[in-house]
Amino acid sequence: SSPCAMNAADAGTAVIVFARAPSPGAVKTRLIPLLGAAEAAALHTRLVERTLETARAASLGQIELHGTTGIEDPFLLSCARRFAAGLSAQTGSDLGARMNAAFESVLSRHPRALLVGSDCPALTARHLREADQALRDGADAVFVPCEDGGYALIGLRRIDADRKSTRLNSSH
């Protein structure tokens, strides 16, 4: 069948990468006193590219790059082209709302989705493949926690309409 005829069951697992454009002074702000704004932005650039390389190496399916600055940023456009990624603007008033919106959009086209940020270089293609396998084996959700209390990866097979109001970034 043609790629246009694929349905969600055939589409594989999408890897959603949340990223900001590497604007000096606006990214990695806690590192600016140590590195300076330009070097902090350069580090952020490398982290985003590393995350996209990891997603590509996992070979799970479509990579979806979701940028906070929208889809017109030259860096994000370049990344989308280089990594054959879909490019979307994040929507929502806070991180939880943006994550929910990304999952809703992607899960309408793919049977599974993994969402990662761009600030965890320890996350490997193997982590992504293991999370995908857990979802394929029937888990509704998969989490890879970080030392700071957040998550390096969240994987879902569906958004539960009854729990849609549950904030993905809440501390509860």
Side-chain angles (χ1 to χ4, degrees):
S1 72
S2 77
C4 296
M6 284 178 37
N7 63 29
D10 302 322
T13 299
V15 179
I16 306 164
V17 176
F18 267 25
R20 294 179 184 266
S23 304
V27 293
K28 301 296 168 218
T29 55
R30 287 180 280 182
L31 294 176
I32 291 173
L34 178 65
L35 301 177
E39 281 302 311
L43 172 62
H44 179 75
T45 297
R46 290 190 297 273
L47 288 170
V48 171
E49 291 169 339
R50 163 100 166 99
T51 302
L52 290 164
E53 288 165 2
T54 299
R56 181 169 57 192
S59 299
L60 298 177
Q62 178 66 38
I63 299 170
E64 298 273 343
L65 179 58
H66 287 233
T68 57
T69 54
I71 58 173
E72 66 285 341
D73 178 79
F75 172 72
L76 296 178
L77 284 166
S78 171
C79 285
R81 281 190 300 271
R82 287 185 354 229
F83 294 94
L87 180 59
S88 301
Q90 293 179 26
T91 59
S93 58
D94 60 31
L95 179 60
R98 291 191 302 269
M99 292 166 63
N100 266 321
F103 274 121
E104 285 182 4
S105 171
V106 171
L107 288 171
S108 71
R109 296 174 276 121
H110 299 272
R112 295 167 304 282
L114 305 178
L115 187 148
V116 298
S118 55
D119 56 357
C120 187
L123 196 67
T124 66
R126 180 177 177 180
H127 291 117
L128 297 179
R129 287 190 295 268
E130 288 174 353
D132 178 55
Q133 190 59 53
L135 294 174
R136 287 175 182 272
D137 289 345
D140 288 328
V142 178
F143 299 90
V144 175
C146 293
E147 290 180 16
D148 70 1
Y151 298 99
L153 177 152
I154 298 174
L156 297 176
R157 287 192 301 135
R158 61 187 170 86
I159 292 284
D160 188 339
D162 294 335
R163 297 180 188 218
K164 191 172 172 182
S165 64
T166 301
R167 295 171 52 95
L168 286 173
N169 68 337
S170 74
S171 60
H172 303 14

